[in-house]
Amino acid sequence: MSTIPTDINWSSLPFGYLKTDYNIRAYYRDGRWSKFEKSTDETIPVHIAATALHYGQSCFEGLKAFRCRDGKIRLFRPEENAKRLILSANGIMMQPVPKEIFIEACKEVVLINEKYVPPFMSGASFYLRPILYGSGGEVGVKPSKEYTFMVFGGPVGPYFKTGFKPMPMQLIKDFDRAAPLGTGMFKVGGNYAASLRASERAHGEGFNTVLFTDAKDHKFIDEAGPANFFAIKGNRYITPDSHSILRSITNMTLQQIALDLGMEVERRHIAIDELAEFEEIGACGTAAVITPVSRMVNRSNNNEYIYTMGGEAGPKTQKLYDILTGIQSGIIEDKYGWMVEV
Ligand SMILES: *Cc1c(COP(=O)(O)O)cnc(C)c1O
């Protein structure tokens, strides 16, 4: 057992980068993946003509490890992240990372940084960031012949400073994060670059996050920048179906939990006007887990939708949150085998 660093205050960790002891790298060259290597270096040498730098050949994943009640450390649904990284890689013509390499690398990063995995039920977790990028030099627009896969990680607190507290969200129509037939369903860096102007403006206008609408007609709800959208209406869990949103693993999980709670799950187009009919709404993703929304403002016409429950999350949102985080910390039975021991 390694000793826990005494200078980390687990309960007040931000969601941010914190240096740990090791990260992992593997290289695709001459048609094969190298064995992965450990590194203590926080930096990487990059070819000046790397396709990642010029043409955005870069994608990533985000997943968490938890110290569970039995003292073991487990990753949450790493197979799903492995599969999604393959989809993203194929989506922008990169060499995919085989599932086994992905999962081994994730487990290894947790094990070699074990002392940074927050204690059971501390509210913090160990966040892993796998990255795949085109590292070979090209000047013409074409896929790289070489790729680098890295995984780093560190302890994080909640993504939004308020934690599991309702926050205001801004619906926008004048920026898109992805084109209708573009790369919205892949977890590529370029989508995030495209979302920055809108999200920074929203912060400046007093909102924690933005909700993008469909890029073709701007009539339907798509997703928040780094998180999917869901709504509760009666006994229904409703989440958008769209070509340009990322299939959130958290959202998939919440849909299953909702079904198990006897709720109906609808994945369909959601018109903006329906915001008036929902009882609870929220954003979900690995980083944020669930972020309940207190107030939605449509920036294009100033329509406002209020979802206050005395400053707390609504009852269904709370239930979903309790079950998801309960499974992750090992206090609720993991009947689907979502948790994978490192
Ligand atoms: C990563 C991401 C999410 C959340 O997905 P999870 O698998 O739940 O972490 C949602 N939307 C976008 C655009 C993302 O990149």
Side-chain angles (χ1 to χ4, degrees):
M1 265 310 213
S2 45
T3 51
I4 288 170
T6 51
D7 53 341
I8 297 182
N9 183 354
W10 303 111
S11 61
S12 65
L13 275 174
F15 185 88
Y17 179 80
L18 206 130
K19 184 179 180 341
T20 57
D21 295 343
Y22 301 104
N23 54 75
I24 271 179
R25 296 120 190 254
Y27 306 95
Y28 183 84
R29 286 188 193 117
D30 306 322
R32 61 183 203 93
W33 282 102
S34 71
K35 285 184 95 64
F36 51 71
E37 56 193 46
K38 274 199 302 200
S39 172
T40 56
D41 196 344
E42 288 175 287
T43 64
I44 44 170
V46 185
H47 192 286
I48 55 172
T51 60
L53 294 180
H54 300 245
Y55 302 129
Q57 262 201 317
S58 164
C59 65
F60 66 99
E61 274 303 324
L63 66 163
K64 282 176 173 171
F66 300 87
R67 204 180 286 275
C68 299
R69 180 157 69 176
D70 61 4
K72 293 186 172 143
I73 301 171
R74 292 184 178 84
L75 290 162
F76 183 70
R77 308 192 76 173
E79 290 251 340
E80 295 299 328
N81 295 93
K83 287 197 288 196
R84 193 169 65 190
L85 191 73
I86 292 171
L87 283 180
S88 298
N90 288 330
I92 54 171
M93 297 298 291
M94 303 204 292
Q95 181 64 34
V97 178
K99 220 161 72 177
E100 306 71 52
I101 295 183
F102 179 94
I103 291 175
E104 270 316 296
C106 289
K107 288 182 176 176
E108 186 68 15
V109 163
V110 175
L111 288 172
I112 57 186
N113 292 300
E114 198 241 312
K115 65 184 181 210
Y116 297 98
V117 180
F120 171 60
M121 290 293 272
S122 58
S125 56
F126 189 88
Y127 182 75
L128 288 90
R129 175 52 63 83
I131 307 157
L132 173 68
Y133 65 92
S135 43
E138 297 288 347
V139 171
V141 179
K142 60 165 86 89
S144 173
K145 294 182 197 67
E146 294 185 7
Y147 293 88
T148 299
F149 172 58
M150 300 187 304
V151 186
F152 71 81
V156 296
Y159 186 75
F160 295 109
K161 283 193 263 333
T162 52
F164 190 61
K165 283 279 178 223
M167 47 165 226
M169 195 183 245
Q170 182 183 59
L171 181 141
I172 56 161
K173 294 183 171 192
D174 61 340
F175 281 112
D176 299 315
R177 57 175 282 284
L181 301 175
T183 55
M185 74 288 254
F186 307 124
K187 206 171 177 78
V188 300
N191 294 343
Y192 278 78
S195 75
L196 287 176
R197 280 174 64 86
S199 62
E200 285 306 300
R201 183 182 67 183
H203 292 160
E205 294 176 356
F207 298 89
N208 290 55
T209 185
V210 288
L211 184 61
F212 290 95
T213 45
D214 79 282
K216 188 155 169 280
D217 300 314
H218 300 102
K219 285 188 180 139
F220 301 103
I221 293 172
D222 242 13
E223 67 169 321
N228 275 188
F229 173 88
F230 72 89
I232 306 287
K233 186 176 170 186
N235 199 35
R236 286 182 280 163
Y237 177 101
I238 307 166
T239 192
D241 185 17
S242 158
H243 232 59
S244 51
I245 64 181
L246 192 87
R247 291 293 292 275
S248 154
I249 297 162
T250 313
N251 193 0
M252 275 169 41
T253 305
L254 293 175
Q255 290 173 47
Q256 186 60 56
I257 293 172
L259 286 173
D260 293 351
L261 286 169
M263 297 175 73
E264 282 170 51
V265 171
E266 294 177 7
R267 239 185 99 230
R268 58 168 173 82
H269 287 349
I270 301 177
I272 294 168
D273 292 342
E274 283 190 71
L275 284 169
E277 298 162 20
F278 295 141
E279 286 138 27
E280 304 172 32
I281 63 171
C284 64
T286 297
V289 191
I290 292 179
T291 304
V293 173
S294 54
R295 192 164 72 90
M296 178 79 76
V297 177
N298 181 340
R299 193 179 189 277
S300 63
N301 60 10
N302 276 320
N303 276 354
E304 187 167 344
Y305 309 88
I306 310 273
Y307 308 89
T308 44
M309 310 262 173
E312 301 297 322
K316 292 251 175 16
T317 303
Q318 181 75 50
K319 186 91 195 149
L320 292 166
Y321 178 85
D322 290 344
I323 294 176
L324 173 58
T325 54
I327 293 170
Q328 290 175 331
S329 55
I331 58 175
I332 290 179
E333 189 200 348
D334 171 29
K335 63 181 177 185
Y336 297 105
W338 287 334
M339 305 301 292
V340 175
E341 197 178 324
V342 301

